[in-house]
Amino acid sequence: MIAPADPARSPVQARFQAYDLLATLVAVLGGDGTVLFANAALEDALGASRRTIQGSSFPQCFTEPQLLRTALEGAGSNEFATLRYEAWLVRHNAEPLPVHVVVAQTDRAGEVVVELLPLEQQARQEREERLIDQAQANKELIRNLAHEIKNPLGGIRGAAQLLEMEIEPGLKEYTRVIIHEADRLQTLVDRLLAPHRKPHVVGDVNIHEVCERVRSLILAEFPRGLKVVRDYDTSLPEFRGDREQLIQAVLNIAHNACQALAERIAAADAQIVLRSRIARQVTFGKQRYRLALELHVIDNGPGVPPSLKDRIFYPLVSGRDGGSGLGLTLAQTFVQQHHGLIECDSVPGRTDFKILIPLP
């Protein structure tokens, strides 16, 4: 049985209703700049209803209307198929929003689609794409490097053991150094390969059980001088995932935070906040999700050094002496195996690691 057409929806609205599913701001204009259709994201950005926007002059929504008028004239005379420029979108009861404007012709004469990409959102998407590409490159580098190290390492250790049986007792301390260092490197290689060896054990995961497990482990290691604050959204649903991997990912982040908080722990005013929230209609990892988990691990430490901000998820990069530089790399790997992503926002006095994981 065919559902009756919505009498309140015009043919133009029916044609472009798919634009309501997009996170970007979209308007369909007539040749004179009149709005024929505005999607839901544009309504939200402008702070006005679709009924108000449609039929209005869209160039007036910008601080420099003439830029769009010129673009529309060029589209009308077929001077270009697509035009891009940057502008400021005027919003109701809010500051103007910097946007990247894309003006493109449709398949109908006198009709133009204008797509607006908030520059902050565009920068965020580019940053996420770099993180994903970087993580994939790291994964291949780690696997190849670990395998190249592993084979000769076994030979070095075996040769040192054979040598130890043949030499004088006074020289055996040297072979023991070789064996000890070979074992240490073997442990490092095993840690590098661990995420790619262990099977992905999927089950129902309650993120707050993960947080409570991490909280108990952290407080057991740092019983004094550190406060771990719970800030949970208890409406969050369970989701399918590997509980142990997620515990390890959150623990790695929290443990890094504790090490950065060493001075504050000594002064008894260190704090870590575990905050869970639901994010709606979010785009990350080049995909759009209706619902996603947002888990924040926030500390009041000194912040990530500027020289490390762009490299903190690289393997073997550490901000402290004696650090392996693997904790955040492994955390990112585990979260990406759940189709998620970890982001970091850090200023002195506040570092926020945000874990994003799609929800069903």
Side-chain angles (χ1 to χ4, degrees):
M1 181 177 179
I2 300 174
D6 182 354
R9 184 176 289 276
S10 71
V12 172
Q13 289 176 312
R15 281 177 55 216
F16 295 109
Q17 62 182 331
Y19 286 142
D20 278 334
L21 302 176
L22 298 179
T24 50
L25 322 179
V26 178
V28 181
L29 311 181
D32 61 353
T34 301
V35 180
L36 305 178
F37 175 85
N39 76 340
L42 182 57
E43 281 186 279
D44 292 341
L46 290 176
S49 69
R50 184 174 305 183
R51 188 184 298 273
T52 303
I53 301 169
Q54 289 173 179
S56 66
S57 174
F58 199 52
Q60 297 304 315
C61 293
F62 295 88
T63 56
E64 297 181 70
Q66 190 56 41
L67 291 174
L68 183 55
R69 292 195 186 103
T70 302
L72 293 174
E73 289 171 6
S77 57
N78 290 316
E79 292 179 17
F80 61 84
T82 304
L83 176 70
R84 296 170 178 267
Y85 67 93
E86 292 182 2
W88 290 83
L89 184 69
V90 178
R91 299 183 291 171
H92 182 64
N93 292 332
E95 292 292 321
L97 177 70
V99 291
H100 183 77
V101 183
V102 183
V103 181
Q105 297 173 321
T106 71
D107 56 354
R108 298 195 180 189
E111 197 174 75
V112 174
V113 173
V114 179
E115 184 178 10
L116 310 177
L117 303 170
L119 292 180
E120 181 181 342
Q121 176 184 334
Q122 187 179 23
R124 180 175 178 272
Q125 289 175 346
E126 289 172 358
R127 185 172 67 250
E128 287 176 355
E129 289 176 13
R130 284 198 305 272
L131 278 173
I132 292 166
D133 293 341
Q134 169 195 315
Q136 186 60 36
N138 287 345
K139 180 179 176 181
E140 294 301 320
L141 172 65
I142 286 170
R143 292 179 66 177
N144 293 337
L145 182 61
H147 282 298
E148 288 298 321
I149 293 172
K150 193 175 180 66
N151 293 332
L153 201 57
I156 292 170
R157 191 184 193 285
Q161 286 177 313
L162 291 173
L163 186 60
E164 188 174 39
M165 292 187 289
E166 301 292 333
I167 61 175
E168 299 173 10
L171 298 175
K172 288 187 178 182
E173 62 178 294
Y174 300 111
T175 55
R176 290 194 189 108
V177 169
I178 297 172
I179 293 168
H180 178 269
E181 290 302 302
D183 288 342
R184 187 178 64 82
L185 286 174
Q186 181 66 55
T187 301
L188 178 62
V189 168
D190 288 341
R191 286 189 66 196
L192 287 168
L193 290 173
H196 316 293
R197 282 177 168 172
K198 290 180 68 176
H200 198 51
V201 182
V202 177
D204 290 331
V205 176
N206 182 322
I207 195 61
H208 300 131
E209 291 178 359
V210 170
C211 291
E212 287 300 296
R213 176 66 174 155
V214 170
R215 183 175 183 273
S216 64
L217 291 170
I218 290 295
L219 289 177
E221 186 174 352
F222 301 92
R224 283 182 290 276
L226 174 65
K227 182 180 181 182
V228 181
V229 179
R230 305 176 179 99
D231 182 6
Y232 299 158
D233 179 349
T234 55
S235 68
L236 275 165
E238 291 189 347
F239 59 95
R240 302 289 288 173
D242 187 321
R243 184 174 180 272
E244 294 304 315
Q245 281 191 353
L246 291 174
I247 288 174
Q248 190 63 56
V250 179
L251 182 60
N252 286 1
I253 295 171
H255 201 265
N256 268 22
C258 291
Q259 289 165 341
L261 286 166
E263 290 186 9
R264 282 191 172 269
I265 290 175
D269 67 346
Q271 178 175 283
I272 292 176
V273 179
L274 299 176
R275 176 178 298 155
S276 64
R277 294 290 185 268
I278 286 181
R280 302 179 188 277
Q281 301 298 340
V282 293
T283 302
F284 60 90
K286 302 182 183 180
Q287 282 189 280
R288 183 167 172 78
Y289 299 97
R290 188 176 63 86
L291 292 175
L293 160 69
E294 261 191 25
L295 179 62
H296 299 259
V297 181
I298 305 168
D299 70 71
N300 62 343
V304 178
S307 60
L308 291 180
K309 273 189 178 179
D310 295 331
R311 302 185 295 127
I312 55 173
F313 293 108
Y314 285 12
L316 309 180
V317 172
S318 177
R320 62 185 179 85
D321 293 338
S324 68
L326 292 177
L328 293 179
T329 303
L330 296 179
Q332 186 75 275
T333 299
F334 289 142
V335 170
Q336 286 190 338
Q337 287 177 353
H338 290 78
H339 310 290
L341 190 70
I342 305 177
E343 296 180 334
C344 177
D345 181 25
S346 181
V347 294
R350 188 180 190 277
T351 297
D352 180 0
F353 279 90
K354 179 171 69 173
I355 299 174
L356 287 161
I357 296 177
L359 291 176

